Amino acid sequence: MRLSKLKDLISDLPKGPLDKYRIRARFDWKLLKLNLEGEEGIRQQNKIWSFIKDNSLFKANYNSLTLDESRRICTARIRALLDNEINPITCGSWFNILFQYDASIPVKMSVMHGMVPNTVFTLGTERHMDILHKFSNLEYFGVFALTEMSHGTNAKGMRTTATYDVNKKTFCLHSPDFEAAKCWVGGLGKTATHAIIFAQLITPDKVNHGLHSFIVPIRDLDTHLPLPGVTVGDLGEKIALNGVDNGFVIFNNYHIPRTYLLNRTADVTEDGQYVSSFKDKNKRFGASFGALSIGRFNITWICSSFLNLAVVIALRYCAIRKQFGPSENEEWPVIEYQAQQARLFPHLAFAYAVKIFSQKYCEIINNFQIKLVSGEDRDKLHLEGIELHALSSATKPLCSWIARDAIQDCRESCGGHGYLKMSRLGDIRANHDANCTYEGENNVLIQQSSNWLLSQWSCLLNGKAISSPFGTIDFLADSEHILKQKFNCTTIEETMSLENLLFSLKWLLCYYLKKTNKRVQDLKEDGYTDFMVRNDSQLFFARTLSLIYGEYVLLKTFIDCIKEPIWKTEECEVLRKLCSLFGSTILEKRLVDLYAGGYASVDSNIDDKLRQGIIMLCKDLLEDAVALADVLAPPDYIVNSPLGMADGNVYKHIQEKIFQNKENLERPTWWREILSSKL
Ligand SMILES: Cc1cc2nc3c(=O)[nH]c(=O)nc-3n(C[C@H](O)[C@H](O)[C@H](O)COP(=O)(O)OP(=O)(O)OC[C@H]3O[C@@H](n4cnc5c(N)ncnc54)[C@H](O)[C@@H]3O)c2cc1C
């Protein structure tokens, strides 16, 4: 790409005190950005950011808003974005960068204008095209309602019923009590006209066929009042994301047409017969699981958006903020300190790892969804769906915990000013928080991943082939050989090499599979039920097993990405360092297992080699850290934190923000109460 064209695509950064670090970088940040995000990706981002910059509705709010005003503004901004063709469908996964501006907007939009049409498209058929059209035309506003008041994670325990009425040719929706009310539904509190409701489908023969999804009218299209038989309302203020009206709904023998069942995988005929295109019920779930994984892979991208923003703010601030120094006359920016580097640079490495992973797997899951709709080989799709489900069940928790911990460290690494609301780090932390809970509560979701890994392990033990269409665990076929290997690196460089780090994770995964399986078998032999076996094998095995699986795939994806021929030598060099820092930071936390499992002998000094390697890498990366943050940074009007602006004029921007808000300088209306003791 010609330089003038690159300048149009990626704007120059303003000059300022951060230049001191920028000129030390050993690569061109714009070229790295171009290779990492692609020309189309950067165009998508520019389209979204420039729309926000030029639209008065999106001027930053300086004061806290009332709940009602938060919701109104969020809805108005969503409308403006939609009117300008900015939505999850047209922008694809790049839409998730909106989380860096105001997280409520993409949360509500992703549900109403992404997840809902996607679900209708994926799980519905021809007969739902008219409804789909109405969602797209904004005649209908749809929400996604799975969670119930007394059941969230355990979807099978949900108690809303949809009983087929053969005489009326309708499904009768019913919530037996308040505990069966659908709740937490984003957009339902004030906005929705329709909801996709997951309910237990019961046929006239009284057979319960399990959870199925239905399109259900909620509010009158003219008056916006609840329809008869529907009680709908708002859950009130939340910890964050208050632009989103999370709501509840209760049905009282409420009838909807038979055709409102989303019937791609199963249907009920007019005379009440249940028919499924999947002979095996589990396969119906397999394909649906795959479809649901799209949300979880998207969350890894959302985590990446929050993580990038927090890391950008913290790194830029810490490169400016000075404290102490080697002499009376010399003060050091805090980023120069070893402790600060060790706190922040691994998070920078994690940010790149999560970004590369989420970009790749969002593309894979989008392609999977297309195959699902085009009705390719069902058996093949079933296996692919299961692997994607298992992977997203490990990486969604892993990436959201990585981001959670990183954001907190970023907040602390900015000291007191990081605690100011204007730093945005508190809002980033609170908004990100929900990623650990929705789309599958992390601690429960992660069990799905270990279940799949254990089932593949038992195939292997029984001489059967493992099924890994995406190749995330195909190396397990070689597990016997892997487990016999020993750590034998003699130098720090060798220890920190990508090949060695990846192999160590392969070993750990095999080791944890063996250990978890042993625990499971022991419990079975002791007569435990399947339920108790699963419960009692979580600590310290199954949970760690899933995390190691996620870590392995993230590292492998990072390494594969570096191997692509697109990179210039200097880009490869810096990415390799980040990747090595990512892998070694993960392994350093698992030293106990590497020793206890016999991979590393006591005199191998793997701990010293890894730790010294991390220190060396952090020191080395100081040269590139600010430029690496520039690659991840959105424009200043999106960063919108005086601590993290591109020019690095931290104190000037803090002063502007303080003085911008007139209230900060005014005498309080209650000033007499202060002096009352004297009056
Ligand atoms: C901001 C936000 C938006 C949301 N939007 C929607 C939406 O649009 N539509 C919708 O349907 N839902 C939505 N939800 C609901 C969300 O999907 C659920 O909250 C989530 O699935 C967790 O379920 P739960 O709240 O019932 O947690 P629970 O399952 O009750 O979990 C409580 C605790 O118990 C633990 N636990 C549960 N089972 C086990 C087990 N077997 N082993 C070990 N520990 C266990 C969990 O780890 C957790 O710590 C939203 C939630 C939030 C916070």
Side-chain angles (χ1 to χ4, degrees), residues 384-621:
E384 287 189 4
I386 298 271
E387 185 173 13
L388 289 174
H389 175 70
L391 180 63
S392 63
S393 300
T395 53
K396 183 263 183 185
L398 175 66
C399 294
S400 53
W401 282 328
I402 285 174
R404 178 199 62 186
D405 297 345
I407 295 164
Q408 181 61 26
D409 273 340
C410 288
R411 207 299 287 147
E412 289 177 36
S413 70
C414 292
H417 296 335
Y419 199 69
L420 281 168
K421 188 162 173 84
M422 68 171 82
S423 82
R424 291 195 66 207
L425 289 163
D427 285 342
I428 295 169
R429 182 177 59 194
N431 286 325
H432 166 69
D433 194 342
N435 285 318
C436 300
T437 297
Y438 54 37
E439 295 276 345
E441 202 286 328
N442 276 2
N443 293 283
V444 187
L445 182 63
I446 205 162
Q447 299 180 18
Q448 307 264 339
S449 180
S450 51
N451 291 345
W452 178 72
L453 289 165
L454 285 170
S455 72
Q456 297 303 310
W457 187 250
S458 93
C459 283
L460 214 60
L461 294 181
N462 293 319
K464 292 191 212 143
I466 52 170
S467 159
S468 176
F470 294 100
T472 62
I473 53 160
D474 49 6
F475 71 88
L476 286 185
D478 205 19
S479 57
E480 237 177 89
H481 172 72
I482 292 172
L483 281 169
K484 283 187 194 137
Q485 304 306 303
K486 302 277 175 220
F487 172 78
N488 59 5
C489 299
T490 51
T491 63
I492 295 173
E493 288 69 28
E494 228 186 312
T495 308
M496 302 293 282
S497 76
L498 303 187
E499 297 70 29
N500 175 64
L501 295 170
L502 190 69
F503 185 82
S504 304
L505 271 173
K506 277 184 186 171
W507 182 91
L508 270 172
L509 193 58
C510 295
Y511 172 69
Y512 259 89
L513 265 166
K514 203 172 157 188
K515 257 184 116 71
T516 317
N517 185 60
K518 164 107 179 48
R519 176 91 176 126
V520 165
Q521 297 312 322
D522 288 350
L523 289 168
K524 278 187 180 163
E525 274 169 31
D526 288 349
Y528 281 67
T529 61
D530 286 351
F531 177 82
M532 286 312 292
V533 167
R534 189 181 305 176
N535 188 37
D536 285 8
S537 54
Q538 291 305 315
L539 288 181
F540 294 85
F541 305 109
R543 189 175 185 278
T544 315
L545 170 66
S546 301
L547 285 172
I548 294 173
Y549 170 53
E551 289 164 351
Y552 165 76
V553 180
L554 253 73
L555 184 64
K556 169 101 174 34
T557 310
F558 202 156
I559 294 173
D560 289 347
C561 172
I562 299 173
K563 282 185 188 154
E564 282 170 24
I566 52 171
W567 308 106
K568 290 182 183 309
T569 316
E570 61 273 20
E571 290 168 355
C572 241
E573 188 80 356
V574 73
L575 287 176
R576 209 178 295 234
K577 285 174 192 162
L578 284 171
C579 189
S580 179
L581 184 56
F582 169 64
S584 51
T585 305
I586 287 169
L587 274 192
E588 198 268 338
K589 294 194 176 108
R590 306 223 177 273
L591 279 172
V592 171
D593 291 315
L594 295 174
Y595 277 123
Y599 176 62
S601 64
V602 179
D603 52 10
S604 70
N605 284 337
I606 189 173
D607 53 338
D608 272 352
K609 291 187 181 101
L610 273 177
R611 286 169 178 167
Q612 282 188 44
I614 290 173
I615 291 170
M616 282 161 60
L617 271 179
C618 284
K619 198 167 181 183
D620 183 278
L621 279 166

Side-chain angles (χ1 to χ4, degrees), residues 8 75 95 125 157 185 210 240 245 307 310 335 337 409 455 554 582 674:
D8 288 343
T75 309
F95 172 79
T125 54
V185 185
D245 46 321
L307 176 55
I335 204 175
Y337 291 103
D409 273 340
S455 72
L554 253 73
F582 169 64
I674 302 171

Side-chain angles (χ1 to χ4, degrees), residues 107 111 144-154 183-186 238 241 246 434 437-444 447 535:
V107 164
V111 173
F144 186 90
L146 176 64
T147 308
E148 291 182 0
M149 199 49 87
S150 66
H151 283 95
T153 324
N154 178 13
C183 68
W184 271 109
V185 185
K238 306 184 293 289
L241 296 173
N246 288 84
T437 297
Y438 54 37
E439 295 276 345
E441 202 286 328
N442 276 2
N443 293 283
V444 187
Q447 299 180 18
N535 188 37

